[in-house]
Amino acid sequence: MELILSLAIGILGGSGVWLLLRPRTFQVIIGLTLISYAINLFIFSIGGLRTGADPILEKGLTDISHYADPLPQALVLTAIVIGFATTALFLVVALASRGQADNDHVDGEDGPA
Amino acid sequence: MYNSIVLIILVLPFLASLTIPFISHGQRDRSTGVMITTATLGLILTLSLFPAINDGAILRQAFTWAPAFGLEFVLRLDGLSWLFLLLICGIGVLVAIYASYYMPREYPLVRFFAFLLVFMGSMLGLVLSGNVIQLVFFWELTSLLSFLLIGFWYQGESARDAARTALTVTAAGGLALLAGVMMLGHIVGSYDLDAILAAGRQIQDHPLYLPALLCVLTGVFTKSAQFPFHFWLPQAMSAPTPVSAYLHSATLVKAGVFLLLRFWPVLAGSSAWFWLVGGIGMLSLLVGGWGAYTQRDLKALLAYSTISHLGLITMLAGLGSRLGAVAAIFHIVNHATFKASLFMAAGAVDHETGTRDLDRLSGLRHVMPVTATLAIISSAAMAGVPMLNGFLSKEMFFAVTLNSNRSLITDVAGVFLAIIAAGLSVAYSVRLVGDTFFGPVHTDYPRKPQEPSGWMRFPIGLLALICFAVGMFPALVIGDILHAAVTAVLGDQLPVYDLQLWHGWNTPLLMSILAFALGCGLYLWSHWRIWRRGYQKAPIEWISAKQIFERLLLFVTNTLPAWQGRIFPSRRLQTQLLIIMLVAMGLALGSAVGLHLPRAWHTPIDPIFAFMWVLGGICAIGAASQAKFHRMMALALTGGVGLIICISFIWLSAPDLAMTQLLVETVTTVLILLGLRWLPPRIRTTRKATRRARYRRRRDIVIALLVGTGMAVLAYTVMQHPVSNSVSQFYLEQALPSAGGHNVVNVILVDFRALDTLGEISVLVIVALSVLALLRRFRPAPESIGMTSQQQYFQQVQKTRLARAGKVPDYLAIPSLIIMLMTPMFVLFGIHLFLRGHDLPGGGFAAGITLTMALIVLYMARGARWVEARLRIDPVRWIAAGLLIAIATGLSAFLSGRPFLTSYNDQLYLPLLGRIPINSALFFDLGIFAVVIGASSLILVVLAHQTLRRPAKRAQSAPSREGK
């Protein structure tokens, strides 16, 4: 599992970085989305991967090794919501820039692509 | 008992300002009533406190604030602060009465009074502070409110500029003050005011004395508009006149001199103090006086004269003599009364004639005799005419300069400068009265002037009466008050001062007579000059601090960034991102040296999981390659990756994450879909890419591969070192016993780390409001304004015969029907998610986004107009309510004496339902829920609304400023 997930993080991160370096705003937005996926998975994996662990506390079951690590989950949950907010902001900035510059280049000027 | 009265006085204005937003804009009188009642109550309570501080006693009460830093929230009342309470509340009442008649009928006073009340509260907090850090906090709060009040008529550019200047200057001064009091605190070892006041010797002998003094004085001089920071005050006259009367003559600008007197016992006495405070005071006194004399604008004249009088107070405090301090305190009161009254009179003139230009005004004493009489009394007080209060403090000032005994040169110079300053004061007072109220009657005003209403004259008259009463019977009217204030500053060793109207024929009186002769002479001389040569531009522009300030600002905000831009390798985003990537890669490689992979720690590979991620990888790479020409496809592929992540979360025991991921994924996709329409079409051409472009692409592929590999290796390495022994253990153990929740993730978010979550929802709010602001002025490009091909087809269908026969249903009829039926289910599901959040996967975030989805699906099915005709959603209110609920929940912990955001459990008994456990974290989650609904629906709705816009009008030269 670790191997698969780290490869996944690598692929997502690589694709994201490629898009980040492109000249069009939409590409950059998608690139950032992919990178934030990669980072979320990465943060999530810090606590160690557990399959079949119990995420919800049960009465009487006090052995904490039985449960999944809640901390990375709380971190990632926050990250997902903030990611939504930043995507929205980037999108709107991109639209505003397109409205002002009349093109969708990241620098607002249609030079050589 | 007295202590609780002090607390009530402080809290009252803040509470009152909270009630004001609930008053609707139409009900002017009600908001006025709140303001007047609050100020009057404050005044009565203040008066009732006088016996407590009369004999030099100090009222003091402390509350824990930040015990970890040794900070206490201390309320401290002595004679000096009592005097300021009296000014703040007393003039507050009068200004409130005045404002309700002065402010134009069409302006809602709700916002105005809400600001004014908060200002009043922060001013009270400032003078009541018994802790210097707390004092700086209220100090900055007053600067902020001054910004809002100066910019109250924000439609005018001059008001906005003035507000910005005032904030920049005074807030920067506040920062300097913070540095200063921190140095004082460091020297003394305590931030408590009493401790600092007791450590005079220790402070003056310390090497940090001079830097601390400089910092504190910067704060004082910026706030009290002393040279060379005086320029913000005349600009601030763009504020409504009640604000000028209240903030810029009676209270806010007095905060600086208040501080000067507050620290007088510890900081004064050194020669640095004498030269800095005395010198700056003298300079401001003269610059302000000359400035006032040369103004054409009535309010500008008053503003410069305020600078001048504050300079006088500063100088008196700066002399370091005890009598100087007495005179300074006395003049604070006198100046506040006559200047507030004059500002209100100037406002009345402006209100009635429509102009404040001294060259246009003339002969108003025939038109508005009562106002004229009152203004003449106040001006006479300002000029220092006998029988009025200004005379007494001026005589005291002369006596101080005569007795300074420092060195022969400074003494003689001091006496002459004092006469010149007093002469200038006479000159501009005469000019104010002479040009406005005397001379031939003019009729060419924008409005036809008449006597203002009685309630508008009342505050002016009352203040003029006080000027007279203090001037006639000083010992009776103000003796005790002054004594209490002076005792608070000087302690037991009071100088001999004699409060009475007539001191006999002595040198100060002679100096007064000289000053009168000088002032009247100056006035007559300049009239004679104007009569001979015509009106000339006043030679006031010799030093324009304002211009220097603007140049400086321009340098910092424009020249400096431009220079930075030049030395940075490139201004292109792509290059910058490339550099960031390369640096990050370098750092990662550098830190990876010497790292070795330990024993393999594996969970068994599941082939289905592996296959899923093969799909995920394909989706990601597909999205990367298609994002340029096939945006929709790239978006769909990205969504695919998101779904696979969602499944992975379930797989790896994180149902909460999976749920949030799924919901956020959906909303993000809808969001980007809404935005897609406004991007320019991009069609693949057959033109071969240039060599440069091909090189770039190859280079970027290499970098992407490197980064990807690096991340994979890093992730793999990290996963080999699972964190044991983290704080999670604590959360897992404590979630049930101390927070009463089974879902640990949710408990962490709304309870253990609630402050972080509060920060997070604030970020959401900021983003949502930024989106609103950014899209207000957005205009779609003409090529993307037309209907989509589907809509065009549908329009054609509607023109056919079938449609006329009523056989063609609405656009998207069946989906929209289904969606409408589904909407209640969505809502129900959202509430379900919310309620179970503490114990099962769900919670405020998930619930909020679910409800947003219900809304947006409805928008998609029926269009913006249909939905908004039937459903009143006010996202901004949701946001505000949510934030307030979250903060109020956090604050409620104070009620049981625990720190901010401590949660608590309780049991509630309801009929039928029985015992229900109530956890305050639930209310916090409710706040999150409301904020998420508000913020996400605001973003989506604003974006969806763009379809209703007209295209950008390219032909017009000036861009339209209107929003929706």
Side-chain angles (χ1 to χ4, degrees), chain B residues 703-764:
Chain B
I703 292 173
L705 280 175
L706 283 176
V707 173
T709 320
M711 284 177 78
V713 173
L714 181 70
Y716 190 72
T717 319
V718 166
M719 279 183 246
Q720 298 305 315
H721 297 80
V723 184
S724 48
N725 214 4
S726 75
V727 69
S728 332
Q729 223 165 340
F730 167 80
Y731 292 147
L732 281 170
E733 278 163 6
Q734 293 299 319
L736 203 48
S738 56
H742 290 267
N743 184 358
V744 191
V745 178
N746 183 272
V747 170
I748 291 179
L749 289 177
V750 299
D751 196 336
F752 290 132
R753 304 296 304 170
L755 189 64
D756 296 346
T757 310
L758 190 63
E760 185 194 355
I761 56 177
S762 315
V763 171
L764 259 186

Side-chain angles (χ1 to χ4, degrees), chain B residues 282 315-316 319 396-405 410-412 414-415 418 511:
Chain B
M282 186 48 110
M315 196 193 83
L316 287 169
L319 293 177
M396 222 184 250
F397 161 50
F398 286 151
V400 172
T401 52
L402 286 171
N403 297 326
S404 76
N405 295 330
T410 49
D411 281 2
V412 174
V415 171
M511 287 167 77

Side-chain angles (χ1 to χ4, degrees), chain B residues 346 472 507 525 527 952:
Chain B
M472 286 303 285
T507 332
W525 175 72
H527 260 249

Side-chain angles (χ1 to χ4, degrees), chain A residues 1-2 10 18 20-22 24 27 37 50 53 56-57 64 69 73 77-78 95 98 104 107 109, chain B residues 572-574 603 605 628 631 652-653 660 665 678 682 700 708 728-729 742 749 760 778 783 839:
Chain A
M1 291 300 242
E2 280 83 1
W18 154 261
L20 211 58
L21 298 172
R22 297 299 90 213
R24 301 291 153 194
Q27 293 174 306
Y37 285 157
R50 299 282 299 272
I56 305 294
L57 294 180
I64 52 167
D69 191 348
Q73 296 196 21
L77 197 97
T78 311
L95 292 184
R98 185 263 191 280
D104 64 342
D107 293 323
E109 50 198 42
Chain B
R572 303 186 71 84
L573 182 69
Q574 283 172 277
T603 41
I605 290 180
K628 186 164 187 182
R631 296 192 186 116
L652 299 169
S653 330
T660 316
E665 197 55 51
W678 311 114
R682 191 152 293 283
D700 292 349
S728 332
Q729 223 165 340
H742 290 267
L749 289 177
E760 185 194 355
F778 172 77
E783 66 264 25
D839 292 326

Side-chain angles (χ1 to χ4, degrees), chain A residues 4 10 13 15 18-20 25 33 37 43 52 61 65 67 78 83 97-98 107-108 110:
Chain A
I4 297 170
S15 314
W18 154 261
L19 283 176
L20 211 58
T25 50
T33 313
Y37 285 157
I43 297 175
L61 200 55
S65 68
Y67 299 111
T78 311
S97 142
R98 185 263 191 280
D107 293 323
D110 241 342

Side-chain angles (χ1 to χ4, degrees), chain A residues 1-30 33-35 37-42 44-60 62 64-65 67-89 91-96 98-99 102-107 109-113, chain B residues 571-574 577-578 581 601-606 609-610 613 617 620-621 624 627-628 631 634 638 641-642 645 649 651-657 660-661 664-665 667-668 671-672 675-676 678-680 682 693 696-697 700-701 704 707-708 711-712 714-716 718-719 722-723 727-729 731-733 735-736 741-745 748-749 760 763-764 767 770-771 774-775 778 781 783 839-841 845 936 939 943 954:
Chain A
M1 291 300 242
E2 280 83 1
L3 191 67
I4 297 170
L5 208 62
S6 29
L7 283 177
I9 291 172
I11 293 171
L12 291 178
S15 314
V17 168
W18 154 261
L19 283 176
L20 211 58
L21 298 172
R22 297 299 90 213
R24 301 291 153 194
T25 50
F26 183 74
Q27 293 174 306
V28 175
I29 290 172
I30 294 288
T33 313
L34 290 179
I35 288 182
Y37 285 157
I39 302 288
N40 284 353
L41 281 178
F42 177 69
F44 176 69
S45 69
I46 287 177
L49 305 184
R50 299 282 299 272
T51 46
D54 215 335
I56 305 294
L57 294 180
E58 279 172 42
K59 278 222 166 76
T62 47
I64 52 167
S65 68
Y67 299 111
D69 191 348
L71 188 62
Q73 296 196 21
L75 289 176
V76 173
L77 197 97
T78 311
I80 292 174
V81 178
I82 294 286
F84 163 68
T86 45
T87 308
L89 193 63
L91 182 71
V92 171
V93 169
L95 292 184
R98 185 263 191 280
D102 212 21
N103 64 62
D104 64 342
H105 192 278
V106 284
D107 293 323
E109 50 198 42
D110 241 342
Chain B
R571 296 186 65 168
R572 303 186 71 84
L573 182 69
Q574 283 172 277
L577 284 175
L578 186 68
M581 279 300 152
W601 196 83
H602 283 299
T603 41
I605 290 180
D606 192 310
F609 192 76
W613 270 108
I621 295 169
K628 186 164 187 182
R631 296 192 186 116
T638 315
V641 179
I645 290 180
F649 282 147
W651 207 295
L652 299 169
S653 330
D656 253 307
L657 285 190
T660 316
Q661 175 76 37
V664 168
E665 197 55 51
V667 177
T668 313
L671 178 81
I672 298 182
L676 270 187
W678 311 114
L679 290 173
R682 191 152 293 283
R696 267 198 196 170
R697 250 176 254 165
D700 292 349
I701 285 181
V707 173
M711 284 177 78
L714 181 70
Y716 190 72
V718 166
M719 279 183 246
V723 184
V727 69
S728 332
Q729 223 165 340
Y731 292 147
L732 281 170
E733 278 163 6
L736 203 48
H742 290 267
N743 184 358
V744 191
V745 178
I748 291 179
L749 289 177
E760 185 194 355
V763 171
L764 259 186
V767 166
S770 314
V771 166
L774 275 168
L775 285 182
F778 172 77
E783 66 264 25
D839 292 326
L840 287 168
F845 279 118
S936 49
I939 296 172
L943 208 53
R954 289 286 148 78

